[in-house]
Amino acid sequence: MLGVVRKKMLGQSLLKIRPAVSMLRSYSSAAKQMTVRDALNSALDEEMSADQKVFLMGEEVGEYQGAYKISKGLLEKYGPERVLDTPITEAGFAGIAVGAAYHGLKPVVEFMTFNFSMQAIDHIINSAAKSNYMSAGQMSVPIVFRGPNGAAAGVGAQHSQCYAAWYASCPGLKVLTPYSSEDARGLLKAAIRDPDPVVFLENELLYGESFSVSDEVLDSSFCLPIGKAKIERVGRDVTITAFSKMVGHALKAAEILEKDGIDAEVINLRSIRPLDRSTINASVRKTNRLITVEEGFPQHGVGAEICASVVEESFAYLDAPVERIAGADVPMPYAANLERLAVPQVEDIVRAVKRACYRSVPLAAAA
Amino acid sequence: MALSYLRSSSSRSANLLRPLSSAASLRRPISTDTTPITIETSVPFTSHQCEAPSRSVETNPSELLTFFRDMALMRRMEIAADSLYKAKLIRGFCHLYDGQEAVAVGMEAAITKKDCIITAYRDHCTFVGRGGTLLEVFAELMGRQAGCSKGKGGSMHFYKKDSNFYGGHGIVGAQVPLGCGLAFAQKYSKDESVTFALYGDGAANQGQLFEALNISALWDLPAILVCENNHYGMGTAEWRAAKSPAYYKRGDYVPGLKVDGMDALAVKQACKFAKEHALKNGPIILEMDTYRYHGHSMSDPGSTYRTRDEISGVRQERDPIERVRKLILSHDLATEKELKDIEKEVRKEVDDAIAQAKESPMPEPSELFSNVYAKGLGAESFGADRKELRATLA
């Protein structure tokens, strides 16, 4: 999508994204800008329009138009039977949603943030993720749990945790982490159509960011495959894996590194479970160096899994130890300077890449 | 005069000839006799925020005999499971329902297979009530392919989706919000059916129950919460666990009914009443006053927190099968011998099913990786040694 020449849009003006499909439309390479928020909203709208069984449930999703306005306009369009405002009782409404999925409906459950999903985690894991297995295929659970994940800005320890590693460790769940608007649209549509429980981890700070989207992405049939990563930037010297907001950081780091003659390949994971191990390993076999980047706590994190996978599958190809950049191993502090130290910054990624390329100042010996 | 009560496995026709009884007409075969009989429940219903149904229950000989047979089958099945567990053919957890059969059987008599049932882990008899076979039960308990969950679930995870039986849940209380979700789906689809979400006196204190009840009342969901109060949550008596053990009242703004859960007819009446209520007015709570003869599970002797006298007392005074037997005999619907013959048949059915289940093989090793997802997308999964054992999920 980057670097495409923008053409003027002919014909219909697309002031507001509508789920209209023109079968005669050819996909021009003209790029339109779309925020992640609008991408999610349009995906929800289109999937609710296409399948009567899809409904949305969560706190403030209806009359308030969504705590982050992701569900704006949906109550008006689909009515209170399909867009349901819940009380602030995550365990109760998540369980109700899973029960509805047992009976064949397709719920989309919004957690105002994934920190609150911990109140409902028994239903996500024990009632949803494991049911198809325990019932030998009788009880599939076509549910999506979505909402903002990870750090926002200044919201403190209880509102800033990243749950990617926790949910992605559980067999039976699929865990998706969109970055761009294209990711948001394609992955949310795929998640809603998928017959298995999907944990869909958004990022509050990305909601307002705009990305170019092609006509193909805007089409209501657009869908991205679950389990496939995207190479956002092709490179030769080092592989950087990232997901969600960190993809943006990794791309900025790559621009900085380019000036130093280091050509970084940036992989946008898109899917934490299933993890696209083959794309990651193929990339490392090409570059011979790996940096994993994530926002969440470092111990037992997503990066740990990626590093282990690469060491197992591509050991002979590594020219340097694998490196992990992650959130600090502390609860998220409030003070702005401490918060900055607790979340990966672009310079952290740059520094780690240089280490992996043996280009950095030698580290001080550890005590 | 010797009577023969012939029964083929596919039909329930009987061949009966009897001299005229005090009723001045030739008695029809009892198994298909649907002549209405009205019987009073053992105790009246106690109600909360609603008007209790009448304690006069309409039934018929056929139904009473079905109650007897079904409960005898369930009883025999659970006793046999006890032996299999002690023989180490059943592993892990095994929670037996003997004593509580009237709840499963009375409920089925009031509803259809379009109505949903969901319960916790004491689910063997509920599964059979929904149409599950003995073979599926025993094979699942022994972890064999012929099991209802192909050996992958075990005692706590029986399901029969085609009869709207949604399990089979190991986490205490989780099944209640799930059941309210089933009711949500029924209302969403406008199919005029209801959900019975069963839970125990232990689970009755769970917060998620009240969260789900609140939402069900707000949204008028056709959810019937059924507290099977057997008076012990694992080893803790109800008075030690609940400040208010009047579980039928715990719904506060939600109406409730207290029912003698050892009386299949009372259960039937209550469930019929509850279904009508739920379709019109939203959620209702039924408290079934019942009792389990076994401990909480096979790991619990069940005698450290209650006296043997209490257990035998209930067995003598309130046993659900004995109650129906007395009803059948006092109304002259069958002889003692006929009922004993039914019990013998049922015992044989159970023994045959166990023998068949023992023949069923354990799952293939490749089944380790099946059904992780409904749609595996070609993802990889791994065994303990991932370089040795891995699979692609279809």
Side-chain angles (χ1 to χ4, degrees):
Chain A
M1 297 305 118
L2 301 169
V4 168
V5 173
R6 287 217 195 110
K7 285 192 207 157
K8 236 201 229 165
M9 288 300 296
L10 303 167
Q12 314 135 307
S13 72
L14 290 167
L15 284 165
K16 223 177 149 120
I17 307 307
R18 292 261 175 255
V21 182
S22 164
M23 296 308 280
L24 300 173
R25 189 209 307 257
S26 61
Y27 300 135
S28 73
S29 55
K32 210 206 165 298
Q33 291 287 96
M34 189 183 216
T35 61
V36 170
R37 173 178 289 110
D38 286 343
L40 295 168
N41 182 275
S42 61
L44 280 168
D45 191 350
E46 288 161 24
E47 293 307 301
M48 287 181 74
S49 174
D51 186 347
Q52 223 272 322
K53 296 198 162 115
V54 178
F55 69 94
L56 178 63
M57 177 194 273
E59 294 155 16
E60 311 298 356
V61 296
E63 292 185 14
Y64 196 80
Q65 306 296 317
Y68 303 97
K69 304 291 178 271
I70 305 301
S71 54
K72 185 167 180 204
L74 295 180
L75 172 64
E76 194 185 15
K77 187 164 178 185
Y78 295 103
E81 283 179 12
R82 294 184 69 195
V83 178
L84 297 125
D85 283 323
T86 63
I88 310 174
T89 55
E90 278 77 5
F93 71 70
I96 285 178
V98 174
Y102 282 174
H103 203 272
L105 297 186
K106 294 188 182 174
V108 177
V109 177
E110 178 172 304
F111 290 120
M112 201 178 282
T113 76
F114 264 91
N115 301 283
F116 315 134
S117 73
M118 291 200 287
Q119 308 230 291
I121 201 165
D122 177 61
H123 282 297
I124 300 171
I125 307 295
N126 281 322
S127 304
K130 298 178 183 171
S131 284
N132 199 61
Y133 191 83
M134 291 193 292
S135 68
Q138 266 189 81
M139 313 263 290
S140 76
V141 189
I143 194 169
V144 175
F145 300 101
R146 50 158 292 273
N149 174 61
V155 293
Q158 291 180 343
H159 289 77
S160 304
Q161 192 165 332
C162 172
Y163 291 87
W166 283 23
Y167 287 123
S169 75
C170 186
L173 284 183
K174 291 170 179 167
V175 180
L176 301 177
T177 50
Y179 160 63
S180 62
S181 299
E182 175 181 332
D183 290 356
R185 267 184 64 76
L187 292 176
L188 185 54
K189 284 154 95 50
I192 293 172
R193 296 177 197 180
D194 194 279
D196 292 306
V198 180
V199 170
F200 193 84
L201 302 173
E202 301 159 6
N203 185 291
E204 193 209 313
L205 300 173
L206 284 176
Y207 283 152
E209 259 192 58
S210 269
F211 294 86
S212 304
V213 285
S214 68
D215 281 352
E216 190 194 342
V217 171
L218 292 173
D219 191 276
S220 69
S221 65
F222 178 66
C223 213
L224 282 173
I226 290 176
K228 292 273 169 285
K230 180 186 180 203
I231 299 180
E232 292 282 351
R233 185 189 194 282
V234 178
R236 259 184 358 255
D237 298 328
V238 62
T239 299
I240 307 176
T241 65
F243 61 93
S244 189
K245 186 150 174 56
M246 294 293 120
V247 175
H249 282 26
L251 289 169
K252 290 202 187 89
E255 275 173 43
I256 293 171
L257 289 162
E258 195 174 21
K259 300 193 184 83
D260 277 322
I262 298 176
D263 186 24
E265 178 149 291
V266 175
I267 300 182
N268 170 6
L269 292 174
R270 285 181 163 174
S271 178
I272 311 296
R273 184 170 190 108
L275 189 62
D276 192 351
R277 292 190 176 84
S278 55
T279 296
I280 297 166
N281 276 283
S283 173
V284 174
R285 290 180 182 207
K286 180 176 71 168
T287 66
N288 312 122
R289 294 161 213 277
L290 173 68
I291 317 293
T292 66
V293 185
E294 68 198 287
E295 240 194 71
F297 297 135
Q299 190 165 337
H300 311 298
V302 174
E305 172 64 30
I306 295 173
C307 290
S309 173
V310 162
V311 164
E312 284 161 358
E313 307 279 331
S314 309
F315 182 68
Y317 293 82
L318 286 168
D319 285 347
V322 294
E323 296 263 5
R324 295 181 288 169
I325 294 296
D329 203 14
V330 296
M332 183 66 67
Y334 167 67
N337 62 327
L338 294 182
E339 188 183 56
R340 202 177 178 286
L341 288 172
V343 178
Q345 305 297 327
V346 174
E347 54 257 33
D348 294 313
I349 304 173
V350 170
R351 192 186 314 112
V353 167
K354 287 187 172 169
R355 272 201 308 265
C357 294
Y358 299 109
R359 302 267 218 96
S360 60
V361 174
L363 296 163
Chain B
M1 173 170 157
L3 296 160
S4 61
Y5 180 65
L6 292 170
R7 193 188 155 280
S8 70
S9 57
S10 53
S11 74
R12 285 186 156 232
S13 60
N15 227 337
L16 257 190
L17 291 173
R18 241 186 178 238
L20 291 170
S21 63
S22 52
S25 60
L26 199 66
R27 195 164 8 108
R28 290 188 278 138
I30 35 169
S31 62
T32 53
D33 186 353
T34 51
T35 318
I37 307 174
T38 306
I39 299 190
E40 291 241 304
T41 62
S42 55
V43 293
F45 300 101
T46 326
S47 68
H48 168 76
Q49 306 271 33
C50 66
E51 220 183 277
S54 155
R55 60 189 285 205
S56 300
V57 187
E58 243 202 42
T59 180
N60 58 61
S62 167
E63 181 173 79
L64 286 172
L65 245 106
T66 306
F67 279 179
F68 182 82
R69 184 177 216 289
D70 288 348
M71 287 198 283
L73 185 87
M74 290 173 179
R75 179 67 59 89
R76 192 62 229 140
M77 174 181 82
E78 296 293 75
I79 306 288
D82 176 304
S83 308
L84 288 173
Y85 192 90
K86 289 174 175 146
K88 297 202 197 295
L89 284 162
I90 300 176
R91 308 175 317 118
F93 293 127
C94 189
H95 307 85
L96 299 176
Y97 199 72
D98 51 312
Q100 299 184 215
E101 299 89 350
V103 177
V105 150
M107 186 177 290
E108 288 296 339
I111 65 178
T112 72
K113 293 293 190 288
K114 262 186 77 192
D115 298 309
C116 301
I117 297 182
I118 191 169
T119 186
Y121 41 76
R122 205 175 298 280
D123 59 350
H124 309 162
C125 300
T126 319
F127 170 74
V128 165
R130 289 264 94 181
T133 67
L134 290 172
L135 173 62
E136 286 174 316
V137 170
F138 289 117
E140 188 60 36
L141 290 173
M142 295 195 277
R144 309 295 177 95
Q145 287 183 24
C148 55
S149 300
K150 305 202 179 125
K152 303 274 278 284
S155 164
M156 298 185 288
H157 304 297
F158 287 13
Y159 305 88
K160 196 166 166 53
K161 192 164 174 188
D162 57 19
S163 307
N164 279 311
F165 176 58
Y166 290 89
H169 293 272
I171 307 298
V172 170
Q175 75 276 17
V176 176
L178 294 172
C180 295
L182 296 172
F184 176 89
Q186 289 171 314
K187 183 167 181 178
Y188 191 98
S189 314
K190 300 180 166 43
D191 66 4
E192 292 298 300
S193 50
V194 298
T195 294
F196 289 81
L198 282 66
Y199 59 100
D201 47 292
N205 302 309
Q206 279 258 320
Q208 60 184 318
L209 189 153
F210 296 95
E211 294 187 12
L213 198 59
N214 177 47
I215 293 178
S216 302
L218 277 171
W219 296 352
D220 283 311
L221 302 183
I224 298 156
L225 272 63
V226 181
C227 179
E228 293 186 279
N229 181 9
N230 57 25
H231 308 283
Y232 296 92
M234 292 203 292
T236 302
E238 62 182 326
W239 59 270
R240 292 179 65 223
K243 189 71 178 172
S244 162
Y247 301 105
Y248 71 109
K249 286 190 188 168
R250 294 277 289 274
D252 183 18
Y253 43 81
V254 170
L257 202 65
K258 186 164 172 174
V259 184
D260 179 1
M262 307 297 260
D263 178 351
L265 290 170
V267 172
K268 172 184 154 181
Q269 184 87 321
C271 291
K272 184 161 169 287
F273 171 79
K275 178 170 174 174
E276 278 163 28
H277 182 280
L279 282 172
K280 279 203 309 277
N281 305 322
I284 184 169
I285 296 179
L286 297 179
E287 181 187 333
M288 303 289 182
D289 184 352
T290 183
Y291 200 84
R292 52 165 164 81
Y293 296 137
H294 269 87
H296 165 71
S297 72
M298 286 303 299
S299 320
D300 169 24
S303 52
T304 58
Y305 48 85
R306 47 185 197 171
T307 63
R308 293 192 196 279
D309 282 345
E310 180 189 288
I311 304 169
S312 54
V314 175
R315 217 187 261 279
Q316 235 159 328
E317 312 280 310
R318 299 180 65 207
D319 185 273
I321 301 175
E322 291 314 304
R323 162 169 284 128
V324 173
R325 190 199 304 271
K326 285 193 193 102
L327 267 174
I328 290 174
L329 293 176
S330 68
H331 281 76
D332 233 7
L333 307 176
T335 62
E336 255 193 71
K337 181 179 184 308
E338 280 165 332
L339 295 182
K340 285 240 179 325
D341 284 345
I342 291 175
E343 287 176 296
K344 273 200 210 120
E345 265 170 46
V346 142
R347 201 189 170 114
K348 182 169 191 314
E349 261 184 62
V350 167
D351 290 342
D352 286 348
I354 292 177
Q356 217 187 331
K358 284 179 178 170
E359 297 290 303
S360 177
M362 298 189 90
E364 292 297 314
S366 60
E367 290 296 317
L368 180 67
F369 296 110
S370 62
N371 305 124
V372 176
Y373 296 109
K375 201 166 157 198
L377 303 171
E380 272 197 308
S381 184
F382 307 95
D385 179 351
R386 58 208 288 143
K387 301 228 157 146
E388 173 70 17
L389 182 61
R390 57 211 292 171
T392 310
L393 304 179

